[in-house]
Amino acid sequence: MTQKIITITREYGSGGRLIAKKVAEALNIAFYDNELIDETARQLGIDIDTIRKASQEKSSSFAYSLNNGPLVLPINDQVYATQAKIIKHLAEKEDCIIVNGCANYILEDYPHVLRIFVYAPLESRIERVEKDYKEEHENTKKYVQKRDKQRKSYYNYYTNKKWGSAKSYNLCIDSSKYGIDNTVKAIVESIKIFDSTKASR
């Protein structure tokens, strides 16, 4: 039986993580987000904060490596490679939703993956960060833009695609147009249609 695998990539403040969690609950399938960070930290034997930072920044020739040796991959590359291995394992093990910026690319050769990108206008995302996330920043607009820039830079570095480009996804949806719950409903219906087309192939 073909696995039901959905990857969620999202702009910061779009509500993508909450949407993914609600979709997983609606479909009664596994949800993976921070669990990827935890398992990566366990496999590499590095603290979670270091893993979290490395999973948001592309590698560089000056990146910290575990042994500071010339033949050891920079920590950023080790984190990416380990997460890719974990994501592939999950996709082969069970039905699940994976919230990870590069998961759609990592599972590129898996034919039955529904790849989703959740976005929203900047103003809407700023409002969500301040009101729903309860985050306080000196300049919320600059912070949101910085987080998006990090995600874009990381994705474009480790893949041969462009972050946010419609060509990289099966479904791109503006969460501000529908609200969180209706976006969840729209994605659930899209998954049902996607599954029905898989069955007819």
Side-chain angles (χ1 to χ4, degrees), residues 58-65 68 74-76:
K58 65 182 182 180
S59 181
S60 74
S61 58
F62 301 103
Y64 166 74
S65 63
N68 290 324
I75 183 63
N76 311 67

Side-chain angles (χ1 to χ4, degrees), residues 121-138:
L122 179 59
E123 295 75 15
S124 171
R125 294 187 287 126
I126 291 172
E127 183 178 0
R128 177 169 285 114
V129 168
E130 292 178 341
K131 293 184 178 180
D132 296 346
Y133 296 179
K134 308 295 184 185
E135 294 183 9
E136 295 183 4
H137 303 285
E138 185 175 339

Side-chain angles (χ1 to χ4, degrees), residues 10 12 16 27 69 73 76 88 102 123 140 153 160 182:
R10 77 278 192 214
Y12 189 76
L27 298 174
L73 284 175
N76 311 67
K88 289 179 180 180
C102 294
E123 295 75 15
T140 305
S153 178
N160 60 3
N182 284 330

Side-chain angles (χ1 to χ4, degrees), residues 4-181:
K4 187 193 303 291
I5 308 299
I6 302 100
T7 66
I8 301 283
T9 305
R10 77 278 192 214
E11 289 185 330
Y12 189 76
S14 65
R17 183 183 184 279
L18 177 59
I19 289 167
K21 195 172 191 308
K22 284 178 172 284
V23 170
E25 291 170 354
L27 298 174
N28 193 29
I29 63 177
F31 168 80
Y32 293 104
D33 179 19
N34 290 332
E35 295 83 358
L36 298 175
I37 300 291
D38 296 343
E39 180 59 18
T40 302
R42 188 190 69 78
Q43 291 196 21
L44 291 178
I46 305 173
D47 67 274
I48 290 176
D49 287 340
T50 299
I51 295 295
R52 194 178 301 279
K53 182 178 180 182
S55 65
Q56 296 174 352
E57 298 177 355
K58 65 182 182 180
S59 181
S60 74
S61 58
F62 301 103
Y64 166 74
S65 63
L66 290 180
N67 298 321
N68 290 324
L71 300 180
V72 178
L73 284 175
I75 183 63
N76 311 67
D77 294 343
Q78 293 184 53
V79 168
Y80 177 81
T82 303
Q83 286 196 344
K85 182 178 70 173
I86 294 169
I87 287 170
K88 289 179 180 180
H89 173 72
L90 294 173
E92 293 165 0
K93 183 182 71 169
E94 61 184 338
D95 294 347
C96 62
I97 288 183
I98 301 172
V99 179
N100 179 278
C102 294
N104 69 304
Y105 173 78
I106 291 167
L107 299 177
E108 186 176 36
D109 295 330
Y110 289 59
H112 302 303
V113 176
L114 181 62
R115 301 162 178 86
I116 299 173
F117 186 80
V118 180
Y119 66 98
L122 179 59
E123 295 75 15
S124 171
R125 294 187 287 126
I126 291 172
E127 183 178 0
R128 177 169 285 114
V129 168
E130 292 178 341
K131 293 184 178 180
D132 296 346
Y133 296 179
K134 308 295 184 185
E135 294 183 9
E136 295 183 4
H137 303 285
E138 185 175 339
N139 187 316
T140 305
K141 179 180 179 180
K142 286 185 177 180
Y143 179 77
V144 171
Q145 291 175 322
K146 177 183 177 182
R147 291 297 300 270
D148 277 349
K149 184 177 180 180
Q150 286 177 326
R151 290 178 178 183
K152 180 179 180 179
S153 178
Y154 186 88
Y155 183 88
N156 292 353
Y157 179 82
Y158 283 106
T159 77
N160 60 3
K161 300 179 181 295
K162 290 186 177 181
W163 184 79
S165 170
K167 294 180 180 179
S168 300
Y169 310 93
N170 306 113
L171 175 67
C172 296
I173 188 164
D174 182 349
S175 60
S176 72
K177 297 295 184 183
Y178 305 97
I180 296 295
D181 290 337

